[in-house]
Amino acid sequence: MALSQQSGILQQGASEERGENARMASFVGAVAVADLVKSTLGPKGMDKILQSMGRGQEVTITNDGATILKSIYVDNPAAKVLVDISKVQDDEVGDGTTSVVVFAGELLREAELLVNQKVHPMTIIAGYREACDCARSVLELISFNNRSDPALFRADLLNIAKTTLSSKILTVDKEHFANLAVDAILRLKGSGNLEAIHIIKKTGGTLQESFLDEGFILDKKIGVGQPKRIEDARILVANTPMDTDKIKIYGARVRVDSMAKVADIEAAEKEKMREKVRKIIDHGINCFINRQLIYNLPEEMFADAGVMAIEHADFDGIERLALVLGGEIVSTFDNPDTVKLGHCKLIEEIMIGEDRLIHFSGVALGEACTIVLRGASTHILDEAERSLHDALCVLKETVSDARVVFGGGWPEIRMAKAVEELASRTPGKKALAMEAFARALRALPATICDNAGLDSAEIVANLKAAHGAEADSRMGVDVVRGEAGDMAELGIYESFRVRQQVLLSGTEAAEIILRVDDIIKCAPRKRG
């Protein structure tokens, strides 16, 4: 208990940790979180099973750092900072979620040793800052850009996708999935709107049977007795109740003298419904998609008018559908001239596995496409979707910022070398912090080796020597052969944005945790 507790400054139930204790708690928490995800880093990383203790006891099997950290409940305040940076990394660039946490954890581990040697935290932060600036400029220097040559650029994108996927479950068919992801992203023509890429998961088959479809697939069936195939479709996308053709007895209180009156009311309801359906058909459409249910009467009327009616399209699906077909979601039908209809060349029913789906081809937004994932179980499909989503995000970033670096720990070794050279020219204790920063950078390739069961000390030393001997060496960790290998030949490329984000976020997170010297926990106020 701290002094302030006894002197009665803090209320009962609040606790305070100061100075060394607070710093210890922060370091321990952050390093523990980093060690939790450390084993998932790299192509030979392991997966984690997350089981919720809730009612459903759902099980998630994943290798994605952000997913793991999002799902665990952490009590340590410093650990929460790391969980946050991995989340931001996931939203910002999609990949590198594990690297950023491991890097921040290593920086803190080094900082702890320095603090024990009586180096002030602010000195460490100043050293880290300068080292980070130095590393960033080196990273910018060593990146290269092939945007001017479409064939080379596509090859870069493919390599980046393969590198991203190689640490995930899709690594077996990474050629196939890398091609899927690159095709999908290049269809976007640089708009970077991932909404237009729709991912559908269907159990059954194998991962190899997944495919990219150049249209839009809606996971619904076509109603009874309606046309199964429409060419040159004019589509009205709506969100409106179509389920009031009989009185709902439960909710309504109606006082009448005889059953005939109830029949009258029902007839009036039906007439209202008919009127609504007529208004909808007056838009000159031949396909009506509704977010809500469509009852038998309107469905029958649509069928008579030769209009395809699709009911209960889920909301996510319908917003995306309106976007892709170039229409608007409508709720009132009084002035048909102001409504923007959606268009597509052909609507038909297709079979995937045992399910029937509706396929829209020739859609207005030519960028749209659907990736259908097949797989043995829902767990595999969920993980495959996360992996593919990561790959798509990274490719999207690379299309907007075309700079590329080699992967496999190559940029970290280069940056560490530059930071160490800077440290040797820097006077004072700051130099110690810079050397620590370089060691933390080298911990990333070392972790990749450790996870593959290789001798990390030897391989990292070999890499260091190779880069020291040759200024533009391309050596990185080759986990397959278990030695240092040429990254360009192996095709291990990464997006510049991802590496830069890892460097900056990791340094900032370590800095914010280093600044802590007091942790106050308060009990919630009691209800009076």
Side-chain angles (χ1 to χ4, degrees):
M1 268 311 130
L3 182 79
S4 51
Q5 179 85 49
Q6 295 149 3
S7 58
I9 293 172
L10 292 179
Q11 203 176 343
Q12 208 63 41
S15 66
E16 178 182 37
E17 291 177 9
R18 282 202 173 165
E20 285 305 298
N21 293 355
R23 199 163 286 131
M24 266 311 295
S26 310
F27 285 156
V28 167
V31 169
V33 165
D35 285 347
L36 173 74
V37 291
K38 200 173 184 176
S39 60
T40 66
L41 185 73
K44 301 276 191 204
M46 298 303 220
D47 288 9
K48 310 267 186 241
I49 290 187
L50 311 166
Q51 184 179 13
S52 83
M53 298 305 284
R55 234 188 266 139
Q57 301 250 324
E58 299 108 23
V59 173
T60 315
I61 302 177
T62 181
N63 175 303
D64 182 33
T67 311
I68 298 169
L69 293 178
K70 253 198 310 233
S71 318
I72 57 176
Y73 182 75
V74 243
D75 191 31
N76 185 298
K80 282 191 177 143
V81 173
L82 291 193
V83 174
D84 268 3
I85 58 167
S86 84
K87 246 192 221 150
V88 169
Q89 181 81 12
D90 198 28
D91 300 341
E92 187 73 22
V93 287
D95 195 24
T97 47
T98 313
S99 312
V100 70
V101 177
V102 171
F103 179 52
E106 287 300 329
L107 283 175
L108 289 168
R109 193 171 306 193
E110 293 288 346
E112 188 182 3
L113 298 174
L114 289 175
V115 169
N116 293 343
Q117 293 171 19
K118 300 282 180 284
V119 180
H120 192 276
M122 282 301 155
T123 316
I124 302 178
I125 288 174
Y128 278 2
R129 278 255 173 103
E130 282 186 34
C132 179
D133 289 342
C134 165
R136 184 183 178 174
S137 50
V138 169
L139 191 62
E140 281 174 1
L141 276 176
I142 58 180
S143 62
F144 45 94
N145 184 339
N146 286 332
R147 168 162 286 160
S148 46
D149 180 344
L152 272 176
F153 187 48
R154 192 194 152 89
D156 279 357
L157 287 178
L158 260 178
N159 281 328
I160 287 175
K162 277 191 229 162
T163 308
T164 303
L165 293 173
S166 63
S167 62
K168 310 269 195 287
I169 190 172
L170 301 177
T171 176
V172 206
D173 322 305
K174 64 181 173 196
E175 289 281 337
H176 179 58
F177 281 102
N179 273 311
L180 279 191
V182 172
D183 287 343
I185 285 289
L186 289 179
R187 277 182 74 88
L188 294 181
K189 306 186 183 64
S191 73
N193 183 3
L194 289 183
E195 283 283 294
I197 301 176
H198 186 45
I199 299 181
I200 288 186
K201 299 178 288 198
K202 281 282 166 220
T203 44
T206 59
L207 281 171
Q208 273 109 349
E209 288 170 31
S210 310
F211 61 92
L212 177 80
D213 194 288
E214 312 232 322
F216 195 86
I217 299 177
L218 191 66
D219 198 350
K220 287 285 160 221
K221 295 183 179 59
I222 293 175
V224 185
Q226 293 167 354
K228 296 280 184 223
R229 175 188 167 95
I230 292 184
E231 293 183 7
D232 283 334
R234 294 179 302 287
I235 306 159
L236 182 67
V237 186
N239 183 5
T240 180
M242 303 288 285
D243 50 1
T244 48
D245 52 352
K246 28 187 172 306
I247 289 184
K248 300 193 181 83
I249 299 299
Y250 300 109
R253 281 186 61 182
V254 185
R255 292 209 172 153
V256 286
D257 350 18
S258 68
M259 278 313 281
K261 289 277 170 56
V262 178
D264 287 351
I265 297 176
E266 284 210 342
E269 289 272 331
K270 275 192 176 158
E271 195 40 57
K272 255 168 78 180
M273 198 70 231
R274 282 208 177 94
E275 184 52 36
K276 187 169 191 179
V277 174
R278 271 188 220 112
K279 274 186 189 164
I280 290 175
I281 295 175
D282 284 348
H283 283 66
I285 55 170
N286 50 15
C287 174
F288 174 69
I289 302 175
N290 194 17
R291 158 89 177 77
Q292 302 175 30
L293 288 171
I294 300 178
Y295 264 21
N296 309 13
L297 177 81
E299 191 167 51
E300 194 183 310
M301 291 182 65
F302 281 130
D304 293 345
V307 172
M308 176 194 288
I310 302 167
E311 63 171 7
H312 222 217
D314 54 333
F315 201 73
D316 195 29
I318 216 169
E319 292 225 316
R320 204 171 255 165
L321 197 61
L323 171 90
V324 167
L325 297 171
E328 291 169 349
I329 301 179
V330 209
S331 303
T332 54
F333 309 101
D334 294 329
N335 28 6
D337 41 333
T338 59
V339 173
K340 232 173 107 183
L341 296 182
H343 294 279
C344 79
K345 296 248 170 52
L346 173 69
I347 302 180
E348 58 187 342
E349 218 175 26
I350 57 168
M351 295 277 291
I352 296 181
E354 305 197 330
D355 298 336
R356 291 189 172 157
L357 300 98
I358 305 170
H359 181 228
F360 299 81
S361 47
V363 288
L365 188 65
E367 310 166 349
C369 57
T370 303
I371 296 177
V372 180
L373 292 176
R374 308 297 312 275
S377 73
T378 46
H379 299 138
I380 292 182
L381 284 178
D382 287 346
E383 177 64 358
E385 183 190 20
R386 277 191 291 270
S387 314
L388 197 60
H389 184 258
D390 280 4
L392 289 172
C393 287
V394 174
L395 290 176
K396 182 186 101 175
E397 287 299 329
T398 315
V399 168
S400 60
D401 179 348
R403 287 177 289 180
V404 183
V405 293
F406 293 121
W410 177 79
E412 282 79 14
I413 298 279
R414 289 293 292 265
M415 292 191 284
K417 181 183 157 198
V419 170
E420 273 183 347
E421 281 166 8
L422 176 69
S424 63
R425 299 194 301 271
T426 307
K429 282 187 179 175
K430 260 196 311 197
L432 295 175
M434 290 180 185
E435 283 163 13
F437 192 89
R439 284 196 295 277
L441 277 172
R442 285 210 190 89
L444 286 169
T447 308
I448 294 177
C449 297
D450 287 338
N451 288 345
L454 308 171
D455 183 349
S456 59
E458 181 170 355
I459 292 181
V460 172
N462 290 349
L463 287 178
K464 206 169 148 184
H467 282 261
E470 214 183 313
D472 50 357
S473 162
R474 293 186 305 213
M475 299 305 250
V477 182
D478 175 3
V479 287
V480 183
R481 293 215 294 279
E483 56 188 25
D486 187 328
M487 294 291 108
E489 280 169 25
L490 296 167
I492 302 179
Y493 288 67
E494 289 198 61
S495 168
F496 166 79
R497 280 292 307 270
V498 173
R499 293 322 320 161
Q500 184 189 25
Q501 195 69 28
V502 166
L503 179 72
L504 302 181
S505 302
T507 313
E508 280 171 16
E511 181 180 319
I512 206 164
I513 294 173
L514 262 176
R515 284 173 181 269
V516 173
D517 73 333
D518 201 330
I519 299 175
I520 302 175
K521 287 184 183 171
C522 295
R525 281 212 300 247
K526 301 216 172 27
R527 290 229 170 104

